[in-house]
Amino acid sequence: MKLIVANWKMYLTLRESIALANKVTRYTLHVTRYTIVLCPSFVAMEEVAKVIKGTQIKLGAQDVEPEKRGAYTGEVGLDDLRELGVEYVLVGHSERRRMGETDKLVNQKLKAVLKSGMRPILCVGESWKIRRSGKARGYVADQLRAGLKSVTQKDLKRVVVAYEPIWAIGTGRPDTPKDASEMHMWIQKIIRDISIFANKNRDVPILYGGSVNAKNAGTFLRAPGVDGLLIGRASTQATEFAHIIRSA
Ligand code: PGA
């Protein structure tokens, strides 16, 4: 089943998040073709969890602190997320990497999420400069190998990867479905290289993210190798998101 992940980033207040969660719950009532995951802000998470309770919508987090508990001012820990019923956690989003998150920390977070029984969504993707220089594949492969370092074969099956070219995020300039598809095939190959189960059953789904909207969502979802979408801005507008779900 394809996965559609809504990353609300810091676009919405608590009240707006509750209102949107209510709307999404209503119009996805009969959607069975997709797994839909909402990633609200930490502040909105508890209330959104109440709204989606009993529906097929799942709760996701935008980030996490990998240390168990303790003196980590301002951070949000794994136990809190688990208590709220979070099932998916974004790790290594480029907006966090931009603030100094290293591959090593991304790997720590990913392993901590797995250990807590949740599923990490490992975000990878190159800058425009790298894409232009023809080195995108190597760059993404390095991010994958570093992010998945020393993850057990069993745990690997619970990982989700999101390919999000940085230059396509929030710019209104998405990758072409053809190029995205080629990168997804490449990512499949890298995963096959590090995995004994060879990802035959697509146990590691690969999502595309970066300026997905109602117009292009269907084309991306039909592109070979694309197992779902990670959507930012367009997922925060109720009608746009509804169109995406329907067009998909
Ligand atoms: P966007 O963001 O859909 O607004 O481009 C995608 C993301 O960062 O996950």
Side-chain angles (χ1 to χ4, degrees):
M1 197 172 352
K2 300 229 172 187
L3 194 56
I4 298 192
V5 183
N7 177 10
W8 290 353
K9 306 191 182 185
M10 204 180 72
Y11 282 126
L12 306 169
T13 65
L14 168 61
R15 281 206 186 92
E16 288 164 352
S17 302
I18 297 169
L20 182 59
N22 272 301
K23 284 185 188 153
V24 176
T25 306
R26 248 176 278 133
Y27 64 66
T28 55
L29 221 49
H30 304 294
V31 176
T32 48
R33 284 176 301 165
Y34 308 107
T35 301
I36 296 165
V37 182
L38 301 182
C39 304
S41 71
F42 286 131
V43 171
M45 207 164 251
E46 189 169 2
E47 291 301 320
V48 170
K50 286 182 198 158
V51 174
I52 63 175
K53 197 167 179 212
T55 73
Q56 84 281 24
I57 300 174
K58 301 191 181 306
L59 192 62
Q62 298 177 17
D63 189 29
V64 72
E65 160 58 46
E67 292 299 335
K68 268 306 260 178
R69 292 199 191 188
Y72 300 96
T73 304
E75 296 293 344
V76 175
L78 294 149
D79 290 348
D80 260 345
L81 299 190
R82 245 202 340 221
E83 218 168 275
L84 287 170
V86 167
E87 291 182 53
Y88 293 83
V89 184
L90 297 179
V91 294
H93 191 283
S94 64
E95 284 154 18
R96 301 219 55 89
R97 293 184 192 255
R98 191 174 64 202
M99 289 190 282
E101 197 162 301
T102 59
D103 276 334
K104 194 169 166 220
L105 182 55
V106 172
N107 177 247
Q108 265 170 26
K109 290 186 177 187
L110 183 129
K111 285 191 287 192
V113 169
L114 285 166
K115 203 168 164 201
S116 294
M118 298 179 281
R119 293 186 72 175
I121 302 176
L122 171 63
C123 302
V124 296
E126 79 289 351
S127 66
W128 182 242
K129 196 167 160 224
I130 294 169
R131 166 66 76 103
R132 227 180 22 200
S133 68
K135 293 186 178 138
R137 286 187 173 204
Y139 185 82
V140 168
D142 286 347
Q143 279 187 323
L144 281 168
R145 290 195 194 100
L148 298 172
K149 196 169 168 210
S150 56
V151 171
T152 65
Q153 294 292 329
K154 194 163 150 263
D155 278 350
L156 202 53
K157 291 193 179 196
R158 290 194 291 120
V159 173
V160 178
V161 170
Y163 171 58
E164 297 205 301
I166 298 169
W167 48 271
I169 297 176
T171 58
R173 195 161 64 97
D175 201 352
T176 63
K178 183 175 170 288
D179 285 353
S181 188
E182 276 171 21
M183 186 58 98
H184 281 226
M185 300 298 186
W186 169 249
I187 293 171
Q188 286 281 357
K189 186 191 163 322
I190 302 298
I191 293 168
R192 279 199 301 271
D193 286 350
I194 47 180
S195 133
I196 45 166
F197 63 85
N199 204 21
K200 268 199 209 88
N201 304 317
R202 305 284 272 276
D203 303 282
V204 181
I206 303 166
L207 318 180
Y208 169 78
S211 295
V212 171
N213 57 34
K215 281 204 191 91
N216 61 30
T219 343
F220 277 113
L221 279 169
R222 284 188 292 275
V226 177
D227 302 312
L229 303 169
L230 175 52
I231 312 169
R233 188 179 276 281
S235 73
T236 63
Q237 293 147 5
T239 42
E240 181 85 7
F241 194 54
H243 283 306
I244 293 177
I245 302 290
R246 273 182 221 126
S247 77

